[in-house]
Amino acid sequence: RLGEALLVDVESLGETSEFAASKYLKNATLFETQSSGVATSDFSIDPSNRNSVASGYHAYFIPSEEYASVHEFTGDVSNCIPGTVSDEFQDMTLARVNYYRAQAGLPSDIYFTAAKSAKAQKGAIIMAYLDDITHYPAVEYPDNTCVLADQASGGEGIEAASKSNLSLGSLGPASVDGQMTDDGSNNAV
Protein backbone atom coordinates (compact mmCIF):
# COMPACT_ATOMS: atom_id res chain seq x y z
CA ARG A 1 0.00 0.00 0.00
CA LEU A 2 1.19 3.49 -0.81
CA GLY A 3 0.88 4.80 2.75
CA GLU A 4 2.81 1.88 4.21
CA ALA A 5 5.52 2.23 1.58
CA LEU A 6 5.92 5.93 2.32
CA LEU A 7 5.97 5.33 6.06
CA VAL A 8 8.75 2.78 5.67
CA ASP A 9 10.70 5.08 3.37
CA VAL A 10 10.80 7.99 5.82
CA GLU A 11 11.56 5.70 8.74
CA SER A 12 14.37 4.05 6.78
CA LEU A 13 16.01 7.46 6.52
CA GLY A 14 16.30 7.50 10.30
CA GLU A 15 14.53 10.85 10.39
CA THR A 16 11.27 11.96 11.90
CA SER A 17 8.61 12.99 9.43
CA GLU A 18 8.73 16.57 10.79
CA PHE A 19 12.43 16.77 10.04
CA ALA A 20 12.00 15.08 6.69
CA ALA A 21 9.17 17.44 5.80
CA SER A 22 11.26 20.51 6.52
CA LYS A 23 14.27 19.03 4.73
CA TYR A 24 12.68 17.61 1.59
CA LEU A 25 9.60 19.65 0.75
CA LYS A 26 10.46 22.31 -1.75
CA ASN A 27 8.97 25.77 -1.33
CA ALA A 28 6.90 24.63 1.66
CA THR A 29 5.02 27.60 3.01
CA LEU A 30 2.33 26.31 5.32
CA PHE A 31 -0.97 28.00 5.85
CA GLU A 32 -2.34 26.55 9.07
CA THR A 33 -5.95 27.22 9.87
CA GLN A 34 -6.87 28.27 13.36
CA SER A 35 -9.32 25.44 13.88
CA SER A 36 -7.22 22.37 13.20
CA GLY A 37 -3.63 23.24 12.53
CA VAL A 38 -3.79 21.05 9.40
CA ALA A 39 -1.86 22.60 6.53
CA THR A 40 -4.48 23.25 3.88
CA SER A 41 -2.83 25.22 1.10
CA ASP A 42 0.23 26.90 -0.35
CA PHE A 43 2.58 23.93 -0.11
CA SER A 44 4.30 21.92 -2.79
CA ILE A 45 5.62 18.41 -3.20
CA ASP A 46 8.29 17.48 -5.71
CA PRO A 47 6.80 14.34 -7.32
CA SER A 48 10.21 13.47 -8.81
CA ASN A 49 11.82 13.29 -5.35
CA ARG A 50 10.93 10.23 -3.28
CA ASN A 51 11.79 11.96 -0.01
CA SER A 52 9.61 14.93 -0.88
CA VAL A 53 6.72 12.59 -1.70
CA ALA A 54 7.17 10.66 1.55
CA SER A 55 7.48 13.85 3.57
CA GLY A 56 4.40 15.32 1.89
CA TYR A 57 2.44 12.21 2.73
CA HIS A 58 3.32 12.56 6.41
CA ALA A 59 2.89 16.31 6.53
CA TYR A 60 -0.38 16.65 4.60
CA PHE A 61 -2.13 13.31 4.10
CA ILE A 62 -1.73 11.60 7.48
CA PRO A 63 -2.96 14.58 9.56
CA SER A 64 -6.28 14.51 7.68
CA GLU A 65 -6.93 10.84 8.46
CA GLU A 66 -8.79 11.59 11.71
CA TYR A 67 -11.65 13.30 9.88
CA ALA A 68 -14.39 10.89 10.99
CA SER A 69 -13.96 11.84 14.63
CA VAL A 70 -14.28 15.58 14.01
CA HIS A 71 -17.04 16.04 11.42
CA GLU A 72 -19.61 17.26 14.00
CA PHE A 73 -22.48 17.13 11.50
CA THR A 74 -25.39 19.22 12.82
CA GLY A 75 -27.97 18.38 10.15
CA ASP A 76 -30.76 15.82 9.96
CA VAL A 77 -30.95 13.65 6.86
CA SER A 78 -34.44 12.30 7.55
CA ASN A 79 -35.82 15.86 7.73
CA CYS A 80 -33.60 17.23 4.93
CA ILE A 81 -31.86 19.75 7.18
CA PRO A 82 -28.38 20.50 5.77
CA GLY A 83 -26.73 21.62 8.99
CA THR A 84 -22.98 22.13 9.01
CA VAL A 85 -19.75 20.25 9.61
CA SER A 86 -16.86 21.44 11.75
CA ASP A 87 -14.19 23.80 10.48
CA GLU A 88 -11.64 21.13 11.36
CA PHE A 89 -13.43 18.61 9.12
CA GLN A 90 -13.46 21.12 6.26
CA ASP A 91 -9.78 21.86 6.83
CA MET A 92 -8.95 18.16 6.62
CA THR A 93 -10.95 17.78 3.42
CA LEU A 94 -9.28 20.82 1.89
CA ALA A 95 -5.86 19.51 2.90
CA ARG A 96 -6.63 16.25 1.08
CA VAL A 97 -7.66 18.07 -2.11
CA ASN A 98 -4.52 20.17 -2.08
CA TYR A 99 -2.34 17.17 -1.18
CA TYR A 100 -3.40 15.40 -4.39
CA ARG A 101 -2.90 18.57 -6.41
CA ALA A 102 0.61 18.98 -4.99
CA GLN A 103 1.39 15.32 -5.75
CA ALA A 104 0.42 15.98 -9.36
CA GLY A 105 2.70 19.01 -9.53
CA LEU A 106 -0.21 21.46 -9.48
CA PRO A 107 -0.51 24.45 -7.16
CA SER A 108 -2.09 23.55 -3.82
CA ASP A 109 -4.14 26.72 -3.93
CA ILE A 110 -7.73 25.50 -3.72
CA TYR A 111 -9.75 27.11 -0.94
CA PHE A 112 -13.30 26.90 0.35
CA THR A 113 -15.69 29.82 0.67
CA ALA A 114 -18.51 29.96 3.18
CA ALA A 115 -21.13 30.55 0.47
CA LYS A 116 -20.06 27.63 -1.72
CA SER A 117 -19.63 25.35 1.29
CA ALA A 118 -23.20 26.12 2.39
CA LYS A 119 -24.47 25.29 -1.11
CA ALA A 120 -22.44 22.08 -1.17
CA GLN A 121 -23.90 21.08 2.20
CA LYS A 122 -27.40 21.60 0.79
CA GLY A 123 -26.52 19.44 -2.21
CA ALA A 124 -25.04 16.78 0.08
CA ILE A 125 -28.17 16.57 2.20
CA ILE A 126 -30.24 16.03 -0.95
CA MET A 127 -27.96 13.15 -2.01
CA ALA A 128 -28.09 11.62 1.48
CA TYR A 129 -31.87 11.99 1.60
CA LEU A 130 -32.23 10.37 -1.84
CA ASP A 131 -29.58 7.73 -1.02
CA ASP A 132 -28.45 8.32 -4.59
CA ILE A 133 -26.17 10.69 -6.44
CA THR A 134 -27.27 12.76 -9.38
CA HIS A 135 -26.24 16.01 -10.94
CA TYR A 136 -29.90 16.65 -11.77
CA PRO A 137 -32.04 15.94 -8.68
CA ALA A 138 -34.87 18.24 -9.84
CA VAL A 139 -35.13 16.31 -13.12
CA GLU A 140 -34.66 12.80 -11.75
CA TYR A 141 -36.63 13.30 -8.52
CA PRO A 142 -39.09 16.14 -9.29
CA ASP A 143 -41.61 15.16 -6.60
CA ASN A 144 -39.14 14.34 -3.83
CA THR A 145 -39.79 16.20 -0.58
CA CYS A 146 -36.17 17.21 -0.08
CA VAL A 147 -35.76 18.39 -3.68
CA LEU A 148 -38.98 20.40 -3.48
CA ALA A 149 -37.88 21.96 -0.17
CA ASP A 150 -34.57 23.00 -1.76
CA GLN A 151 -36.38 24.49 -4.75
CA ALA A 152 -38.69 26.44 -2.44
CA SER A 153 -35.69 27.92 -0.60
CA GLY A 154 -33.79 29.05 -3.69
CA GLY A 155 -32.45 25.82 -5.21
CA GLU A 156 -28.88 26.16 -3.94
CA GLY A 157 -28.55 22.41 -3.26
CA ILE A 158 -29.76 21.59 -6.76
CA GLU A 159 -27.31 24.11 -8.20
CA ALA A 160 -24.45 22.62 -6.16
CA ALA A 161 -25.32 19.10 -7.32
CA SER A 162 -25.05 20.21 -10.94
CA LYS A 163 -21.57 21.70 -10.42
CA SER A 164 -19.95 19.23 -8.01
CA ASN A 165 -18.00 16.02 -7.88
CA LEU A 166 -20.40 13.72 -6.06
CA SER A 167 -19.75 10.78 -3.75
CA LEU A 168 -22.09 8.54 -1.82
CA GLY A 169 -21.09 6.33 1.08
CA SER A 170 -18.03 8.34 2.07
CA LEU A 171 -17.33 11.75 3.49
CA GLY A 172 -14.65 14.41 3.55
CA PRO A 173 -11.13 13.20 2.77
CA ALA A 174 -12.40 9.69 1.95
CA SER A 175 -14.63 11.18 -0.74
CA VAL A 176 -11.63 12.97 -2.20
CA ASP A 177 -9.74 9.66 -2.18
CA GLY A 178 -12.70 8.07 -3.97
CA GLN A 179 -12.58 10.73 -6.65
CA MET A 180 -8.91 9.90 -7.20
CA THR A 181 -9.46 6.13 -7.52
CA ASP A 182 -12.81 6.55 -9.34
CA ASP A 183 -13.81 2.89 -9.10
CA GLY A 184 -16.41 1.40 -11.40
CA SER A 185 -16.76 -0.73 -14.49
CA ASN A 186 -17.22 2.40 -16.59
CA ASN A 187 -13.61 3.29 -15.78
CA ALA A 188 -11.99 0.03 -16.84
CA VAL A 189 -8.94 0.49 -19.02
Side-chain angles (χ1 to χ4, degrees):
R1 305 193 77 221
L2 175 63
E4 293 165 358
L6 293 176
L7 179 63
V8 170
D9 181 51
V10 170
E11 289 176 350
S12 72
L13 297 172
E15 302 169 345
T16 66
S17 60
E18 265 183 43
F19 175 77
S22 66
K23 184 175 177 183
Y24 297 113
L25 292 173
K26 67 174 188 172
N27 304 323
T29 305
L30 301 183
F31 170 74
E32 293 191 3
T33 63
Q34 292 182 340
S35 61
S36 69
V38 174
T40 58
S41 63
D42 295 329
F43 56 85
S44 61
I45 298 170
D46 180 357
S48 68
N49 181 303
R50 182 177 178 156
N51 292 323
S52 179
V53 170
S55 298
Y57 177 78
H58 287 281
Y60 310 117
F61 188 95
I62 293 294
S64 62
E65 280 293 277
E66 299 299 319
Y67 64 90
S69 64
V70 299
H71 66 77
E72 300 175 17
F73 175 59
T74 63
D76 180 353
V77 174
S78 63
N79 289 306
C80 199
I81 299 171
T84 61
V85 293
S86 72
D87 289 342
E88 186 173 11
F89 179 79
Q90 287 210 17
D91 291 346
M92 289 178 173
T93 304
L94 182 58
R96 189 65 57 94
V97 168
N98 281 322
Y99 164 78
Y100 282 118
R101 289 180 58 82
Q103 285 285 39
L106 297 171
S108 60
D109 59 358
I110 300 300
Y111 59 93
F112 293 155
T113 66
K116 288 184 179 179
S117 291
K119 287 181 181 183
Q121 191 66 29
K122 290 176 181 179
I125 203 69
I126 292 171
M127 301 305 125
Y129 187 90
L130 295 173
D131 194 26
D132 192 12
I133 55 175
T134 173
H135 290 289
Y136 309 103
V139 173
E140 295 181 28
Y141 297 92
D143 299 323
N144 180 273
T145 303
C146 192
V147 172
L148 291 171
D150 185 70
Q151 286 176 320
S153 66
E156 290 182 338
I158 294 167
E159 176 190 349
S162 72
K163 297 178 179 180
S164 299
N165 292 325
L166 304 174
S167 298
L168 189 63
S170 61
L171 59 147
S175 292
V176 177
D177 294 344
Q179 295 291 325
M180 295 299 103
T181 58
D182 202 11
D183 296 328
S185 60
N186 60 327
N187 296 316
V189 179

